[in-house]
Amino acid sequence: MDSIEQVLAKYNKPLFILLFALCLFPFISPAVALFLGLALGMTAGQPFPKFSKKTSKYLLQFSVVGLGFGMNLHESLKTGKEGMLFTIVSVVAVMVLGIYLGKRLMMDRKTAYLISAGTAICGGSAIAAVGPVVKANDNEMSMALGTIFILNAIALFIFPPIGHLLGMTQEQFGMWAAIAIHDTSSVVGAGAAYGEQALEIATMVKLTRALWIIPITIVTMFLFQQKGAKISIPWFIFFFILAMVANTFLTIPETITASLVWLAKKGLTVTLFLIGAGLSRKVIKQVGVRPMVQGVVLWIFIGLISLGVILLV
């Protein structure tokens, strides 16, 4: 007689399709979608890994651009400006601490550097950009991505309750989520769970932070002596800015902008389901203790420091 896991694995394709379709309904929030994905990935497994990886990447980008149609450029620039100084300080501090921890834990240099970049900037996107520059192999990339994705999943569930417990305002929580949560998808998901203003602030600050991929990649080329390496620029951020400009200065019917924002949020929900479904027990085993220790220490560091600054300022 087959075990429950064997039965689930046998029917993982129809299960995937069923849960994917369920995420399209309005009552499924980003956090619930991530939970459904994790439940599938941990039990039945991901039946369409290549489809999910590619789809989640582009769907996240389209969703972020769509959110721009619900934001005002003037207010967003003010928010981005307020978080700029702390962004610079925190990115540099996390990178330095991450490299130091990697040496102390006797980790592989490239893996430690990738986890540091993912924590400091924007999770998987930063790792994907920096990985080819340091010539990381599949195992190094898997460990770094696995570490970041595990912590991302935890963050989406625990950050909103912590924010409510501490009585954080929408602005405070949006800023904290953007700085202390790694991946853009989880940042936007946590912001959406907390409120509309938190969502706008979290999205703007995180995308401003994501632009640090460019200078970090350039610095990485010199540190690892990889001249002429290709720099991956997150072009979708510029389309996000164009969407904000259009929403601010053009007379676009509210029904259109509201529909675009709704589709963007629903796209984000599906994205988180796809990301969750890709996190299996195999991925967790691949990570290992040392990379996870480094990732957790860096996460606690940036989480507590940013929380203290935000609450005191």
Side-chain angles (χ1 to χ4, degrees):
M1 185 176 179
D2 291 340
S3 65
I4 295 175
E5 288 187 7
Q6 289 174 324
V7 173
L8 289 173
K10 189 182 296 185
Y11 296 101
N12 63 351
K13 289 183 179 180
L15 270 173
F16 176 90
I17 295 169
L18 176 64
L19 294 176
F20 183 93
L22 188 63
C23 290
L24 298 174
F25 286 89
F27 55 84
I28 299 296
S29 67
V32 172
L34 179 61
F35 175 79
L36 291 175
L38 288 170
L40 179 71
M42 293 291 182
T43 54
Q46 166 61 280
F48 309 108
K50 291 183 179 178
F51 164 81
S52 295
K53 185 177 180 180
K54 196 168 185 178
T55 302
S56 62
K57 175 185 175 181
Y58 291 110
L59 191 56
L60 173 62
Q61 294 177 2
F62 286 124
S63 298
V64 167
V65 173
L67 289 174
F69 286 101
M71 299 170 65
N72 182 278
L73 180 65
H74 302 301
E75 295 176 3
S76 298
L77 286 177
K78 182 183 177 183
T79 301
K81 185 179 179 181
E82 289 173 354
M84 182 62 71
L85 178 60
F86 190 70
T87 292
I88 295 171
V89 174
S90 61
V91 167
V92 174
V94 170
M95 288 301 300
V96 171
L97 178 60
I99 293 170
Y100 170 76
L101 282 173
K103 289 181 179 179
R104 294 290 294 177
L105 292 168
M106 293 182 288
M107 289 174 57
D108 172 77
R109 184 190 178 197
K110 294 178 182 178
T111 303
Y113 192 85
L114 291 173
I115 293 173
S116 302
T119 305
I121 306 171
C122 57
S125 299
I127 293 172
V130 173
V133 178
V134 303
K135 294 186 177 179
N137 58 37
D138 290 342
N139 185 55
E140 291 160 343
M141 290 289 287
S142 295
M143 284 194 290
L145 288 168
T147 301
I148 294 300
F149 286 160
I150 290 168
L151 297 180
N152 266 329
I154 296 171
L156 182 55
F157 292 115
I158 69 171
F159 267 58
I162 292 174
H164 288 300
L165 184 66
L166 296 175
M168 298 179 76
T169 65
Q170 294 277 315
E171 184 177 355
Q172 287 175 329
F173 182 83
M175 190 77 70
W176 184 46
I179 294 170
I181 300 178
H182 311 85
D183 225 49
T184 304
S185 56
S186 290
V187 169
V188 178
Y194 207 77
E196 287 297 322
Q197 189 182 0
L199 170 62
E200 291 185 14
I201 292 170
T203 303
M204 184 62 196
V205 175
K206 190 62 181 180
L207 294 184
T208 302
R209 197 178 184 86
L211 289 173
W212 271 79
I213 286 176
I214 300 170
I216 283 293
T217 304
I218 294 172
V219 170
T220 303
M221 288 167 57
F222 289 100
L223 287 177
F224 286 81
Q225 298 179 344
Q226 304 290 352
K227 295 181 180 179
K230 185 179 178 182
I231 298 176
S232 178
I233 300 174
W235 293 108
F236 74 96
I237 296 176
F238 299 101
F239 288 108
F240 165 77
I241 295 170
L242 285 176
M244 280 197 299
V245 170
N247 186 56
T248 305
F249 297 105
L250 299 181
T251 309
I252 304 174
E254 190 177 343
T255 51
I256 293 177
T257 56
S259 297
L260 288 171
V261 172
W262 184 87
L263 286 171
K265 290 180 180 179
K266 192 44 59 180
L268 172 69
T269 301
V270 175
T271 298
L272 285 166
F273 166 72
L274 295 175
I275 290 173
L279 190 59
S280 63
R281 281 179 291 182
K282 181 181 178 182
V283 171
I284 294 175
K285 287 179 182 177
Q286 277 183 333
V287 170
V289 176
R290 292 179 185 180
M292 186 57 68
V293 169
Q294 184 206 19
V296 169
V297 171
L298 287 178
W299 190 35
I300 292 173
F301 170 77
I302 189 61
L304 291 179
I305 294 296
S306 58
L307 180 62
V309 171
I310 290 166
L311 291 179
L312 292 174
V313 173

